[in-house]
Amino acid sequence: MAIWQNLVRGLWLGGSLLASAGPAAAQLRPNPLRQVLRHDTAGLGRVLARPGTYRLQILYTRIRRAPDGTPHFRRYGYRVRPRQYFYPASTVKLAAAALALEKLRQLATHYPGLGPESVMLTDSAFAGQTRVRRDSSSASGRPTLANYVRKALLVSDNDAFNRLYELVGPAELNAGLARLGLRHSRLLHRLSVGDQEPGSRHTNPVAFYADTAATQLLYRQPAGFFEGRWPRLHLRGESIGRGHVQGTQVVPGPLDFSQKNAFSLPDLQRLLQLVLFPESVPAAQRLRLAPADYALLRQALSQLPRESLSPRYDAVHFPDTYAKFLLGGGGTVPLPPGVRVYNKIGQAYGFLIDNAYVEDPAHGVEFLLSAVLYVNADGVLNDDKYEYDAVGFPFLRDLGRRVYEAELRRKR
């Protein structure tokens, strides 16, 4: 934990670098991102010329394997600022998926037969809530927690995240983030439904059944209400933009994000490490998951949409790199041969984020790479005029490829 606390004090290109290998003490070393970012490609150069304007942050972690296979991590940052706010968008879905599986695993100790593939029916009990009794993407035609996890991570389905949020609830979600050592993160609302107070504090009733006919009840959770205080993170820059669209009008002044979800870049990468390398963190800060739960998360993070059997996705609408921004450019180019990416992306309000673990077993390459940038030239939010295609995706594509190429050249 001390390594991460030291890291998040803030790193920059050409300045100081925190490098760590396992529990070893932090020390100053040359930052390999210097060499990567010197490749002035069309995708990189425009953003690197004005990194502050684009609110750019990059966190790159090299992985070295000991002879016994134990991974050791050395982390390098570019403009990493844990208290500088950015809207995390769909990257929060990994936290909700992991904590939902953790909750179900704990409940199963008291309710035999309960599991991720149990039928999960959601009811409504407060204004704006919706019910779910069918899921055409599921093999059984019924919703399950496992299918929500797959949809949330495979193609970043917003409704799937909302069902996970409702199951775990804001109190347990934020307590879970704190226990995992994610100190600059919070989950306050559902996605894409205009969720805000007081609706964000109310969660739906949920019931689990052993059969698709929903006659054999396994567990019933009543509607919930969170009456506590939201986490206080003391973030900077939570007011963003020079104007924002409200209805059909542009309202002058920034949009306030202080009541929206938050996740720092180091917290995002730490969460991915918790899922992929649980043995690398202290036992008290690990997710309380069974091997099958980890396997579900890892498969959903790494699968290409066409590889999924349930749910199924049309390759025309969901190309291989649809949800792979680093290296893949959000569907613009295929991944390099033999490369597998375990990641979660985010895209909203002009922010683009990718939080990824990249591996190429044939060449012995593996690394963690997380990045965020903001592409909103006119400064107006909610107008759907963002430079995702012109600036954001090319940058993330080229960044991922330059780091991957540097890893291919690195001696091991």
Side-chain angles (χ1 to χ4, degrees):
M1 181 61 182
I3 292 173
W4 280 89
Q5 289 173 333
N6 287 333
L7 170 65
V8 297
R9 290 174 184 167
L11 312 175
W12 59 90
L13 179 65
S16 65
L17 156 72
L18 176 73
S20 63
Q27 52 189 304
L28 294 177
R29 294 178 182 270
N31 191 333
L33 279 177
R34 278 180 177 271
Q35 301 303 319
V36 171
L37 299 180
R38 280 175 179 167
H39 288 267
D40 189 15
T41 68
L44 294 179
R46 181 174 181 176
V47 173
L48 293 175
R50 295 185 297 157
T53 299
Y54 290 104
R55 298 172 177 251
L56 180 64
Q57 296 186 51
I58 306 170
L59 184 56
Y60 164 41
T61 298
R62 284 180 167 178
I63 300 174
R64 176 180 61 82
R65 294 278 179 172
D68 65 357
T70 301
H72 296 272
F73 305 88
R74 183 164 289 155
R75 300 175 174 92
Y76 305 91
Y78 175 73
R79 302 187 76 255
V80 176
R81 299 171 181 179
R83 293 192 185 277
Q84 183 66 44
Y85 183 81
F86 64 85
Y87 184 66
S90 292
T91 59
V92 303
K93 292 170 185 173
L94 177 56
L99 291 171
L101 287 169
E102 185 181 81
K103 175 169 183 169
L104 209 66
R105 185 62 56 183
Q106 293 169 338
L107 286 170
T109 62
H110 303 287
Y111 300 92
L114 182 63
E117 298 291 354
S118 301
V119 171
M120 175 181 168
L121 303 187
T122 302
D123 209 335
S124 60
F126 189 77
Q129 292 184 354
T130 56
R131 305 167 70 229
V132 183
R133 300 189 64 83
R134 300 286 178 184
D135 183 352
S136 60
S137 72
S138 172
S140 68
R142 290 287 201 178
T144 67
L145 178 60
N147 212 50
Y148 284 138
V149 168
R150 295 184 192 105
K151 291 197 294 184
L153 301 184
L154 266 164
V155 297
S156 209
D157 186 277
N158 287 328
D159 180 72
F161 165 81
N162 294 344
R163 302 309 167 185
L164 302 175
Y165 177 94
E166 293 157 1
L167 172 64
V168 185
E172 289 184 54
L173 284 169
N174 288 292
L177 296 180
R179 178 177 57 78
L180 297 174
L182 308 179
R183 297 182 162 204
H184 300 96
S185 303
R186 66 187 181 220
L187 290 174
L188 310 186
H189 59 84
R190 300 168 180 84
L191 298 178
S192 293
V193 292
D195 198 24
Q196 57 187 342
E197 301 248 22
S200 56
R201 293 179 175 270
H202 288 265
T203 53
N204 307 42
V206 182
F208 289 86
Y209 295 87
D211 60 321
T212 55
T215 59
Q216 302 172 38
L217 181 67
L218 292 170
Y219 168 70
R220 187 184 301 278
Q221 178 173 284
F225 175 72
F226 173 56
E227 59 184 15
R229 293 195 305 181
W230 296 117
R232 295 184 176 181
L233 304 182
H234 306 290
L235 302 177
R236 297 188 296 268
E238 292 182 297
S239 295
I240 300 174
R242 65 173 184 83
H244 57 279
V245 174
Q246 186 172 316
T248 60
Q249 303 295 319
V250 175
V251 179
L255 185 62
D256 180 16
F257 285 81
S258 63
Q259 298 302 310
K260 293 188 180 293
N261 296 332
F263 238 98
S264 72
L265 204 66
D267 280 2
L268 283 174
Q269 193 171 103
R270 178 176 172 84
L271 175 62
L272 191 60
Q273 182 177 340
L274 286 167
V275 172
L276 300 177
F277 304 97
E279 71 288 344
S280 69
V281 299
Q285 294 174 350
R286 296 176 192 170
L287 289 158
R288 298 160 183 166
L289 298 176
D293 300 322
Y294 281 113
L296 172 60
L297 290 172
R298 292 165 184 169
Q299 182 185 57
L301 287 168
S302 64
Q303 269 190 327
L304 305 178
R306 63 176 167 81
E307 295 174 332
S308 173
L309 298 179
S310 178
R312 290 185 178 274
Y313 293 103
D314 179 357
V316 174
H317 297 95
F318 298 96
D320 284 356
T321 53
Y322 172 82
K324 311 291 182 189
F325 294 171
L326 292 162
L327 286 97
T332 60
V333 296
L335 296 175
V339 169
R340 178 68 65 172
V341 179
Y342 300 70
N343 76 308
K344 187 69 201 74
I345 52 88
Q347 177 181 350
Y349 294 112
F351 289 99
L352 278 180
I353 314 107
D354 200 350
N355 179 37
Y357 164 71
V358 179
E359 70 167 354
D360 180 351
H363 295 95
V365 167
E366 58 177 331
F367 61 91
L368 292 156
L369 183 61
S370 308
V372 56
L373 74 161
Y374 176 66
V375 287
N376 186 18
D378 67 6
V380 178
L381 291 96
N382 282 336
D383 64 354
D384 293 327
K385 296 178 181 178
Y386 306 119
E387 294 73 47
Y388 295 134
D389 294 327
V391 180
F393 290 135
F395 177 85
L396 292 175
R397 178 197 65 213
D398 285 6
L399 173 64
R401 287 179 177 261
R402 295 296 84 78
V403 172
Y404 170 66
E405 290 163 2
E407 286 279 334
L408 285 174
R409 295 190 297 269
R410 184 161 67 95
K411 293 182 179 180
R412 287 170 173 78

